[in-house]
């Protein structure tokens, strides 16, 4: 006997609870608030610089002055966290990405600056080598272009420490090397950063929806015909995401991420059901670009479609969402 047996019309009319707005509010299962939002930004070196990203209408790469204005806006809107992605100058890129852990690098300087002006805004810093490598891979490659795991982990650990030293609250490894969470956690503990959180991109898929991001940080040309299939997850796999998450939790992750978001709602749902760790989701650049393109073509209405997309991600089980729509969503929620 399942519990739905015996429920029949007209004893049950599901439309009763949908009749008025007040009734609908009363039975709402999912609520979205500004507390759930994280805003990713693209950082340029220099002063008073801003450059539009063609495939992401409405989003600009900006120098620190512009990012500080965004940070202030975020504080006023009640968005708790900013995620930083650097656009690294060609001259600073190399085969082994040593710029990634330069204590005076763009990211490290920017973390210090944002922290000093807005100490309460949480800073999430990305740990991966793709903005820093001449080949656009997230790690260090051998002569066959294969990304080497353990050497890469050493560099990622240095990168993570340099972010923690600069004042990052949350270190977010997005590289998908094995064992990097454990190595970073150990380095944080032994260097007296016991309270720095690790948000691991635990289930990060080898997705075609990252294209506009690679354009934004300028790694697409470097990556050229290359791909990330040897380390990011196969979109055909779901069970494997549970192994990834389990490993990262054991190694010391405080928060885990599923990425992309809307095409992977089943993964968000499964991870949230299986583990008690907070699950974050990344509504990636390609998801943003699709929505913007459809709106521009007149095929979709912007506000309601955007809110629906974020609500769906929340409903699937995400406790926080990285979205390029975060500023607008917060404005709508505050209206
Ligand atoms: C790279 C990284 C990527 C994104 C965040 N960090 C792209 C990639 O893995 O190639 C994608 C984010 C987005 O598409 O919005 N470490």
């Amino acid at each position: 006997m399942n519990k739905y047996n015996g429920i029949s019309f007209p004893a049950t009319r599901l439309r009763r609870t949908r009749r008025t707005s007040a009734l609908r509010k009363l039975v709402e299962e999912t609520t979205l608030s500004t507390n759930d939002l994280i805003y990713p930004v693209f950082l340029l070196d220099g002063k008073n610089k801003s450059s539009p990203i063609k495939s992401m209408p409405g989003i600009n790469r900006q120098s620190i002055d512009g990012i500080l204005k965004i940070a202030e806006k975020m504080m006023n809107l009640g968005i708790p966290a900013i995620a930083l992605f650097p656009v690294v100058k060609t001259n600073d890129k190399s085969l082994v990405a040593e710029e990634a852990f330069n204590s005076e690098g763009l990211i490290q300087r920017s973390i210090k600056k944002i922290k000093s002006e807005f100490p309460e805004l949480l800073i999430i810093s990305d740990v991966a080598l793709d903005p820093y490598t001449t080949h656009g891979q997230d790690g260090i490659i051998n002569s066959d272009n294969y990304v080497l795991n353990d050497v890469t982990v050493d560099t990622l650990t240095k990168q993570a420490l340099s972010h923690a030293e600069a004042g990052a609250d949350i270190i977010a490894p997005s590289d998908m090397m094995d064992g990097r969470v454990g190595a970073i956690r150990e380095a944080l503990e032994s260097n007296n950063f016991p309270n720095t959180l690790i948000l691991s991109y635990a289930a990060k898929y080898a997705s075609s929806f990252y294209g506009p991001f690679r354009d934004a940080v300028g790694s697409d040309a470097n990556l050229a015909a290359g791909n990330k299939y040897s380390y990011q997850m196969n979109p055909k796999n779901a069970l494997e995401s549970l192994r990834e998450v389990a490993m990262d939790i054991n190694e010391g992750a405080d928060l885990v991420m599923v990425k992309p978001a809307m095409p992977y709602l089943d993964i968000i749902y499964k991870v949230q059901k299986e583990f008690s760790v907070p699950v974050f989701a990344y509504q990636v650049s390609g998801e943003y670009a699709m929505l913007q393109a459809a709106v521009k073509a007149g095929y979709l209405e912007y506000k309601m479609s955007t809110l629906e997309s974020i609500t769906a991600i929340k409903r699937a089980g995400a406790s926080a969402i990285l979205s390029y729509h975060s500023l607008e969503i917060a404005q709508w929620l505050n209206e």
Side-chain angles (χ1 to χ4, degrees):
M1 274 277 273
N2 83 47
K3 62 179 174 171
Y4 298 112
N5 277 1
I7 298 180
S8 61
F9 177 84
T12 304
R13 289 181 188 265
L14 287 170
R15 289 183 52 194
R16 284 187 198 119
T17 55
R18 297 179 200 146
R19 188 174 52 88
T20 70
S21 157
L23 280 165
R24 291 193 292 274
K25 280 183 193 156
L26 210 55
V27 300
E28 232 161 53
E29 297 175 37
T30 307
T31 36
L32 187 66
S33 100
T34 54
N35 296 343
D36 307 322
L37 300 171
I38 297 165
Y39 189 52
V41 298
F42 300 105
L43 254 170
L44 284 176
D45 215 338
K47 261 192 184 162
N48 298 321
K49 290 207 180 125
S50 174
S51 75
I53 301 156
K54 193 167 167 275
S55 50
M56 301 179 73
I59 306 290
N60 297 306
R61 310 171 187 90
Q62 294 187 61
S63 50
I64 186 68
D65 41 284
I67 300 294
L68 289 170
K69 288 195 189 106
I70 291 177
E72 184 175 9
K73 205 183 263 181
M74 292 175 65
M75 293 300 294
N76 292 334
L77 287 167
I79 302 176
I82 190 167
L84 305 177
F85 295 98
V87 182
V88 176
K89 289 191 202 139
T90 312
N91 286 344
D92 288 336
K93 300 191 188 213
S94 73
L95 265 177
V96 293
E98 63 271 34
E99 178 65 16
F101 53 88
N102 176 358
S103 59
E104 285 306 308
L106 171 61
I107 275 291
Q108 291 81 354
R109 278 182 280 122
S110 306
I111 293 172
K112 279 182 221 156
K113 187 84 185 147
I114 299 169
K115 262 293 142 193
S116 71
E117 300 210 9
F118 303 99
E120 274 148 44
L121 183 65
L122 293 170
I123 298 183
I124 302 180
S125 67
D126 199 66
V127 166
L129 305 183
D130 51 321
Y132 302 96
T133 52
T134 41
H135 44 73
Q137 294 290 355
D138 289 24
I140 294 165
I141 55 172
N142 67 11
S143 54
D144 296 325
N145 290 329
Y146 181 74
V147 174
L148 298 165
N149 195 87
D150 302 8
V151 214
T152 298
V153 170
D154 288 341
T155 303
L156 295 171
T157 305
K158 291 185 198 159
Q159 182 185 23
L161 258 189
S162 76
H163 293 179
E165 279 159 6
D169 301 281
I170 304 176
I171 304 290
S174 70
D175 54 283
M176 290 299 280
M177 296 304 115
D178 287 321
R180 90 282 205 214
V181 171
I184 292 170
R185 175 56 74 211
E186 196 181 302
L188 290 173
E189 285 292 325
S190 56
N191 286 277
N192 206 21
F193 294 105
N195 291 327
T196 304
L197 286 86
I198 298 177
L199 161 60
S200 94
Y201 286 68
K204 175 170 178 178
Y205 283 86
S207 170
S208 299
F209 292 98
Y210 306 148
F213 174 97
R214 292 178 189 170
D215 172 27
V217 298
S219 67
D220 52 346
N222 300 327
L223 193 61
N227 61 61
K228 303 189 178 182
Y229 300 151
S230 80
Y231 46 104
Q232 297 180 346
M233 282 186 59
N234 183 344
K236 292 176 177 158
N237 295 353
L239 293 176
E240 192 185 340
S241 70
L242 302 179
R243 299 184 72 194
E244 281 285 359
V245 169
M247 273 181 78
D248 287 0
I249 296 172
N250 282 334
E251 290 177 28
D254 305 282
L255 315 159
V256 298
M257 181 106 79
V258 173
K259 174 181 176 189
M262 210 150 76
Y264 294 84
L265 294 181
D266 59 323
I267 308 299
I268 298 172
Y269 180 81
K270 283 194 171 76
V271 171
Q272 199 271 331
K273 278 270 171 285
E274 183 92 7
F275 302 96
S276 46
V277 65
V279 183
F280 287 16
Y282 199 142
Q283 186 182 48
V284 300
S285 57
E287 297 179 70
Y288 177 86
M290 279 197 298
L291 203 60
Q292 291 286 0
V295 169
K296 192 168 170 218
Y299 298 159
L300 289 177
E301 189 278 321
Y302 188 55
K303 179 177 170 181
M304 294 310 282
S305 332
T306 302
L307 284 171
E308 185 177 334
S309 71
I310 293 285
T311 304
I313 297 164
K314 183 90 198 289
R315 190 195 61 231
S319 64
I321 299 153
L322 279 97
S323 170
Y324 301 100
H325 301 286
S326 288
L327 286 185
E328 287 166 305
I329 293 171
Q331 269 149 11
W332 294 328
L333 293 174
N334 283 324
E335 269 166 14

